[in-house]
Amino acid sequence: MLITREVDYAVRVLRVLADESTVSVREICKKEDISMSIAYKITRKMEKAGIIQSYRGTNGGYALKKSLDEISLYDVIEVVDKEMLITECLQHSYDCSRNPESAPCKVHQEFCRLQKLLTDEIKNRPLSAIF
């Protein structure tokens, strides 16, 4: 459940944009070996979230709207997938018979602890530290 292929592609799109001012989707796809359909899907999501900006015209394309210091991997995950959980039992709607309120499951508690560590780590590490 961790990091999906779409999140990986979104990070790779940002990597291309980090190196240049404005880049066409075609060029992004060529540099990162991503299909046009998935690239457009990802760029629309990131543009809507205010991470990147689109430019129309013959020299159009996409550019970063925020600094890489302001964008974390968590931000990308939240835009692309909405939530990153290490196991399905951490979903709010998941009903586990082994985790009643009267006798909480110790495995679930450990997964919660690990989830918090992972979430805190990816929230606090900007993409500028990765690229």
Side-chain angles (χ1 to χ4, degrees):
M1 286 188 114
L2 286 171
I3 296 175
T4 64
R5 181 169 291 162
E6 191 174 348
V7 169
D8 175 41
Y9 289 167
V11 170
R12 292 175 6 179
V13 166
L14 293 173
R15 179 172 57 191
V16 172
L17 298 179
D19 293 337
E20 301 180 38
S21 55
T22 303
V23 185
S24 70
V25 171
R26 185 175 307 281
E27 194 174 335
I28 292 169
C29 293
K30 184 179 175 184
K31 287 183 176 187
E32 292 294 337
D33 194 26
I34 301 171
S35 73
M36 293 282 279
S37 61
I38 192 76
Y40 276 115
K41 181 180 175 184
I42 290 167
T43 53
R44 277 192 301 271
K45 286 180 180 181
M46 290 196 296
E47 182 179 19
K48 187 176 179 180
I51 293 174
I52 64 175
Q53 185 170 345
S54 67
Y55 295 95
R56 297 185 183 268
T58 55
N59 294 323
Y62 290 91
L64 289 174
K65 189 172 182 179
K66 290 183 171 183
S67 159
L68 291 177
D69 290 330
E70 300 174 276
I71 308 167
S72 69
L73 181 57
Y74 183 84
D75 297 327
V76 177
I77 291 167
E78 208 171 38
V79 166
V80 174
D81 281 343
K82 303 294 180 221
E83 189 172 45
M84 182 193 80
L85 300 173
I86 60 171
T87 181
E88 68 182 341
C89 83
L90 296 178
Q91 293 174 346
H92 296 291
S93 60
Y94 190 80
D95 185 27
C96 179
S97 62
R98 298 184 185 278
N99 190 30
E101 285 186 33
S102 59
C105 173
K106 297 228 184 265
V107 174
H108 180 85
Q109 290 173 346
E110 181 62 11
F111 286 156
C112 287
R113 185 187 73 78
L114 294 171
Q115 180 70 48
K116 182 176 178 350
L117 288 171
L118 179 62
T119 300
D120 289 347
E121 185 64 27
I122 62 175
K123 275 184 176 180
N124 293 318
R125 188 159 173 91
L127 291 182
S128 60
I130 299 170
F131 300 151

